Amino acid sequence: MVDTAQANTGTEGVAGGVGVTALLVAAARAIETHRPDALARDVYAEHFVLAAQASQGWPVRPLEVRDGETDPLWGRFARYFGLRTRVLDDFLLHSTHHGNARQVVVLGAGLDTRAFRLEWPTGCVVFEIDREEVLAFKHRVLGGLSAVPSAARVPLAMDLRSDWAGALPGAGFDPAAPSVWLVEGLLFYLPPAAETYLIDTVDRLTPGGGALAYEVKLEKDLLAYRDSPLYTATRRRIGIDLLDLFDREPRPDSAGRLAGRGWSTSVRTPFDFTRLLGRGPLPEPNDALAGNRWVFAHKP
């Protein structure tokens, strides 16, 4: 089972540690949403930021970011999350609208609102797996907005250390039917064995026609970037030391593992999509994003 003990130690809901990173991503999505040239729109994102004590005073609109795009945290980092949101949105929608998959599983769903804001095909079911405290906070905020999902939504309040794979069929998931899996912003925090377990479990639960997208960091030495503008700004301004949260053991070759089991895989950098879509972060010196990779896999 996936061991998230390191990631969750001392945190509850969105009160600290990894929980605050969910708010960081929400703030970034809110800022992106209010740009006239937004790559992705999430009208719910700013409400999470405004509702949580941990994120009081954070910007949710571009005009609230004093240094604009040059700000390493709310400029460049926010552009990164806006780009990531768009790319993964496109992957999920293409996999469901142009394939046979009607089951979508979001592991470590956090404050993800894709079940509400994307236009899913008829009959689509979105399973969201995360800790009870995180989902309760999300339900409270979305309930206050009278938000209505655009697909059947099944939240599973479970720590990933529990048997989430065993719980899915009881919640209506059909292992014999094609499914699409999303693992966004989660594997950074997991030790290598937990990543391998997760990838193996997705493979086991995915028949032909399924798909998977996930994000990893492939730096040989994360600490080499400790003084990068992105990590420094995050640490000093909102109190999150991402490098203390990330697992720093050598990462497994999960894309190669999937390829060895018959999946077709594509490993891309975020900068590839910046150039494709015309907006987003580009490489810079001492770049904390240099090792980030987005992996897209399909099971024939």
Side-chain angles (χ1 to χ4, degrees), residues 250-288:
R251 306 314 303 173
D253 180 11
S254 294
R257 192 175 183 88
L258 287 169
R261 298 183 178 189
W263 293 65
S264 61
T265 61
S266 172
V267 182
R268 307 288 297 276
T269 74
F271 310 128
D272 294 336
F273 291 97
T274 293
R275 298 180 181 103
L276 178 67
L277 297 174
R279 191 168 163 271
L282 287 168
E284 62 179 27
N286 193 19
D287 195 348

Side-chain angles (χ1 to χ4, degrees), residues 136-215:
F137 173 76
K138 179 158 68 173
H139 294 165
R140 177 168 63 83
V141 173
L142 293 176
L145 299 171
S146 299
V148 178
S150 51
R153 174 175 174 263
V154 181
L156 275 177
M158 298 189 70
D159 192 300
L160 289 175
R161 288 172 291 181
S162 302
D163 184 15
W164 54 269
L168 271 170
F173 178 83
D174 182 0
S179 50
V180 183
W181 301 77
L182 178 62
V183 189
E184 181 182 18
L186 172 64
L187 297 182
F188 299 165
Y189 309 105
L190 303 184
E195 177 178 328
T196 297
Y197 170 83
L198 187 149
I199 294 296
D200 287 351
T201 303
V202 170
D203 174 51
R204 176 170 59 84
L205 294 177
T206 307
L212 163 67
Y214 63 92
E215 180 183 28

Side-chain angles (χ1 to χ4, degrees), residues 25-300:
V25 176
R29 286 177 175 158
I31 293 169
E32 181 70 20
T33 295
H34 290 292
R35 291 183 57 91
D37 58 349
L39 289 176
R41 299 189 186 277
D42 182 349
V43 298
Y44 307 105
E46 66 184 274
H47 297 280
F48 296 128
V49 179
L50 298 174
Q53 184 62 39
S55 51
Q56 292 302 299
W58 291 9
V60 292
R61 295 171 182 261
L63 291 176
E64 297 170 2
V65 182
R66 185 180 61 183
D67 295 327
E69 295 278 279
T70 64
D71 184 304
L73 176 57
W74 301 120
R76 189 167 192 267
F77 213 9
R79 287 200 308 279
Y80 173 77
F81 288 125
L83 177 69
R84 186 179 77 177
T85 299
R86 165 63 180 275
V87 170
L88 296 179
D89 283 357
D90 288 350
F91 173 82
L92 292 174
L93 290 176
H94 185 271
S95 298
T96 52
H97 281 278
H98 299 283
N100 294 323
R102 291 297 181 270
Q103 300 179 126
V104 178
V105 184
V106 185
L107 290 168
L111 302 180
D112 184 290
T113 61
R114 290 182 171 94
F116 295 83
R117 61 181 182 78
L118 297 185
E119 295 183 6
W120 299 101
T122 301
C124 204
V125 183
V126 179
F127 298 86
E128 297 181 4
I129 304 177
D130 211 320
R131 291 176 295 136
E132 182 177 1
E133 308 94 297
V134 176
L135 293 178
F137 173 76
K138 179 158 68 173
H139 294 165
R140 177 168 63 83
V141 173
L142 293 176
L145 299 171
S146 299
V148 178
S150 51
R153 174 175 174 263
V154 181
L156 275 177
M158 298 189 70
D159 192 300
L160 289 175
R161 288 172 291 181
S162 302
D163 184 15
W164 54 269
L168 271 170
F173 178 83
D174 182 0
S179 50
V180 183
W181 301 77
L182 178 62
V183 189
E184 181 182 18
L186 172 64
L187 297 182
F188 299 165
Y189 309 105
L190 303 184
E195 177 178 328
T196 297
Y197 170 83
L198 187 149
I199 294 296
D200 287 351
T201 303
V202 170
D203 174 51
R204 176 170 59 84
L205 294 177
T206 307
L212 163 67
Y214 63 92
E215 180 183 28
V216 290
K217 291 185 78 70
L218 298 182
E219 286 102 345
K220 292 182 179 179
D221 181 10
L222 281 171
L223 293 180
Y225 298 95
R226 174 166 286 283
D227 295 328
S228 69
L230 190 152
Y231 287 147
T232 300
T234 306
R235 186 168 60 245
R236 290 178 178 174
R237 292 165 58 187
I238 62 176
I240 301 175
D241 191 332
L242 290 170
L243 291 177
D244 279 351
L245 297 175
F246 293 160
D247 186 277
R248 296 197 289 268
E249 295 182 69
R251 306 314 303 173
D253 180 11
S254 294
R257 192 175 183 88
L258 287 169
R261 298 183 178 189
W263 293 65
S264 61
T265 61
S266 172
V267 182
R268 307 288 297 276
T269 74
F271 310 128
D272 294 336
F273 291 97
T274 293
R275 298 180 181 103
L276 178 67
L277 297 174
R279 191 168 163 271
L282 287 168
E284 62 179 27
N286 193 19
D287 195 348
L289 300 178
N292 287 43
R293 297 293 185 272
W294 297 342
V295 182
F296 306 92
H298 295 84
K299 194 171 189 179

